[in-house]
Amino acid sequence: MKRKIAYCIIVMATLLCAGCASQYREEASSETGSMTEIKEEESVSIQFFSLEDTEVVPEIVKYDYESACERGEIYQLRGMLPGMGEGIWYIVTVDGVEYYYGRYDFSADRTELFGYAIVSGEYSLANGISVGMTKNEVIELYPAMAMLDMENNILNGVVGHMGWNSTAYPCSPAGMDDELQYVDGKEYRWDAQFDYVMIAEVEQPSDTLPVYVALMMKDDIVSTITFYYPTAG
């Protein structure tokens, strides 16, 4: 009889310990899962470059419209210019650089330069970035580059930025330009030719607008390098 009682006590103790161990594993697993989620949600601040880092070598010449037309190839289209004014965009390519000029309908006597983009590997930034580099090569050098798709959806954990802004680049709502071939009836957007963009903030004086450098990516290769104002309207 005493042996049966002792046996029952041992069995009950074993079951109790097994239950405690099971509960401990569940709690530990739950805690580990929470830690994993936190790690996945960890974020870092956007890459920051000094003005010296982003100097272009060789130096970019910012031609006025007439001078650029004398030297390069011109493509034009009707569209919406910065500030949502209608007018004509002029894309002029000179020596591996695309210049984006615009002429508002209400100011037909003046053509403005809104920006430019480097499309040739003959140029590089002082920090070593150039057209033709792979995404992995860029990230190895500068892991805090923010990545976004062309609809401004964030693709990595880099935060603290104002996103991609296409305001200063050619855009034409569907049907505005009779000679332009709109794809699937959608508006023409200069940035639609790229898969995603990698951006970093560039040092600026405290009393000026922020400036970002953008690496326009196609097939995980830097296709174009440009600078833009993220807060421009």
Side-chain angles (χ1 to χ4, degrees):
M1 183 65 178
K2 290 181 179 179
R3 288 182 179 178
K4 289 184 178 180
I5 293 173
Y7 177 79
C8 290
I9 290 173
I10 292 172
V11 171
M12 291 177 64
T14 301
L15 292 174
L16 181 60
C17 290
C20 292
S22 176
Q23 182 179 358
Y24 174 79
R25 283 194 297 269
E26 290 176 1
E27 290 175 355
S29 175
S30 176
E31 291 175 2
T32 303
S34 299
M35 290 175 65
T36 301
E37 291 175 3
I38 291 171
K39 287 181 179 179
E40 289 177 352
E41 294 174 0
E42 284 180 353
S43 57
V44 296
S45 296
I46 187 172
Q47 183 73 49
F48 187 85
F49 292 135
S50 68
L51 285 171
E52 291 76 15
D53 289 334
T54 56
E55 288 182 355
V56 181
V57 182
E59 183 179 357
I60 299 294
V61 179
K62 296 182 180 179
Y63 297 107
D64 58 45
Y65 175 64
E66 288 74 18
S67 299
C69 290
E70 292 174 358
R71 292 170 170 78
E73 300 178 3
I74 309 167
Y75 177 75
Q76 69 178 58
L77 64 143
R78 280 200 60 79
M80 300 302 296
L81 277 59
M84 299 307 292
E86 293 188 28
I88 300 177
W89 282 101
Y90 301 94
I91 303 172
V92 186
T93 305
V94 182
D95 298 330
V97 179
E98 285 185 354
Y99 297 88
Y100 308 112
Y101 301 90
R103 179 179 297 169
Y104 293 95
D105 288 345
F106 60 76
S107 180
D109 60 339
R110 186 162 62 98
T111 304
E112 302 178 40
L113 174 63
F114 291 115
Y116 67 88
I118 300 166
V119 297
S120 169
E122 295 181 4
Y123 299 86
S124 67
L125 304 186
N127 61 14
I129 294 176
S130 63
V131 169
M133 292 180 70
T134 66
K135 177 186 72 173
N136 290 339
E137 287 174 334
V138 174
I139 291 176
E140 185 175 352
L141 290 173
Y142 306 107
M145 297 288 293
M147 296 173 56
L148 307 96
D149 66 19
M150 304 326 302
E151 302 302 324
N152 250 333
N153 297 306
I154 298 174
L155 303 179
N156 63 358
V158 178
V159 297
H161 57 81
M162 290 173 277
W164 162 244
N165 185 359
S166 62
T167 302
Y169 300 87
C171 171
S172 179
M176 182 171 282
D177 189 320
D178 294 336
E179 298 183 4
L180 184 62
Q181 297 296 318
Y182 297 93
V183 179
D184 299 328
K186 298 179 180 179
E187 69 175 2
Y188 168 85
R189 284 176 45 183
W190 173 84
D191 59 2
Q193 62 187 301
F194 308 107
D195 298 326
Y196 60 97
V197 58
M198 303 176 73
I199 65 174
E201 185 170 356
V202 182
E203 173 191 25
Q204 297 294 313
S206 58
D207 57 347
T208 59
L209 292 175
V211 174
Y212 287 1
V213 58
L215 313 182
M216 313 305 295
M217 307 297 292
K218 184 67 178 179
D219 299 326
D220 289 335
I221 302 292
V222 178
S223 174
T224 298
I225 301 174
T226 188
F227 297 86
Y228 69 98
Y229 299 98
T231 58

